[in-house]
Amino acid sequence: MNLRMKIATGAIALVSAGLMTFLGTWEGNGQNVVYADNLARGLPTVCKGVTKHTSPVPVVVGEYWSDARCAEVEKLVVQKGQLTLADCLTNQQISQNTFDALSSHAHNVGTANTCASRAVGLINAGRIADGCRALAWAPDGKPVWAYVTDAQGRKVFVPGLYNRRRAEAEMCLK
């Protein structure tokens, strides 16, 4: 049974309550005013990480989104990302927690980046625990996916991103 089939039969849920709670922890709950995300070089962002790159409607700094609009667009954005993610996951033995952790990662860094990651490569090769750890750590134990490029072009470590990566790895391993 492929992952899309597992989704169709309900064995793996899209937009699970656990994922949405997790995203709220890291992206914010009640973030109804569009803001310029400093970590993403001013990218207009609202709700639980909805951006102009993922939203089917314009995301304009300063605009207010109702809770209902946030919930509707978040669901569309997360579901679309998860269906794309499902297409790059060939290991059908992943759990809901592993799928949710990968979904959070993809929501934050982009689905294409997650699909091309060492973590997904390891998970697809049947090394789920190693892949889960690869969400947060390189083979040498150094943090990964926890850096942004500043205005001067320097890579800057962001403790909050590292904490998120560690939380994703922990969720993935459950």
Side-chain angles (χ1 to χ4, degrees):
M1 178 186 304
N2 68 30
L3 196 54
R4 285 269 187 153
M5 184 65 71
K6 288 178 87 170
I7 291 167
T9 63
I12 293 283
L14 294 177
V15 194
S16 73
L19 172 61
M20 297 312 287
T21 298
F22 189 86
L23 289 179
T25 299
W26 298 103
E27 300 282 357
N29 287 305
Q31 183 57 56
N32 297 78
V33 177
V34 180
Y35 65 98
D37 186 341
N38 291 332
L39 291 180
R41 294 192 206 126
L43 180 65
T45 306
V46 69
C47 310
K48 291 182 175 98
V50 174
T51 70
K52 69 177 187 172
H53 298 301
T54 59
S55 177
V57 296
V59 181
V60 180
V61 172
E63 193 175 82
Y64 175 83
W65 285 32
S66 68
D67 288 342
R69 185 177 197 187
C70 277
E72 176 187 354
V73 175
E74 286 166 357
K75 182 177 180 181
L76 289 170
V77 165
V78 170
Q79 190 171 55
K80 181 179 179 187
Q82 287 186 302
L83 289 171
T84 302
L85 179 65
D87 290 339
C88 76
L89 293 169
T90 59
N91 182 339
Q92 306 314 312
Q93 303 307 308
I94 68 169
S95 68
Q96 183 71 53
N97 283 332
T98 298
F99 187 60
D100 285 351
L102 292 169
S103 297
S104 169
H105 189 273
H107 187 70
N108 186 233
V109 304
T111 305
N113 290 326
T114 299
C115 284
S117 71
R118 187 172 66 88
V120 167
L122 289 165
I123 288 168
N124 283 342
R127 296 172 56 193
I128 294 175
D130 291 336
C132 290
R133 286 188 286 276
L135 289 171
W137 298 282
D140 63 5
K142 291 183 180 169
V144 293
W145 301 104
Y147 298 86
V148 297
T149 304
D150 70 11
Q152 290 74 41
R154 297 174 300 213
K155 271 179 78 171
V156 178
F157 177 76
V158 180
L161 287 176
Y162 182 52
N163 291 339
R164 180 177 182 160
R165 300 291 90 89
R166 291 181 4 208
E168 288 166 348
E170 182 180 316
M171 174 192 275
C172 184
L173 287 165
K174 285 184 181 173

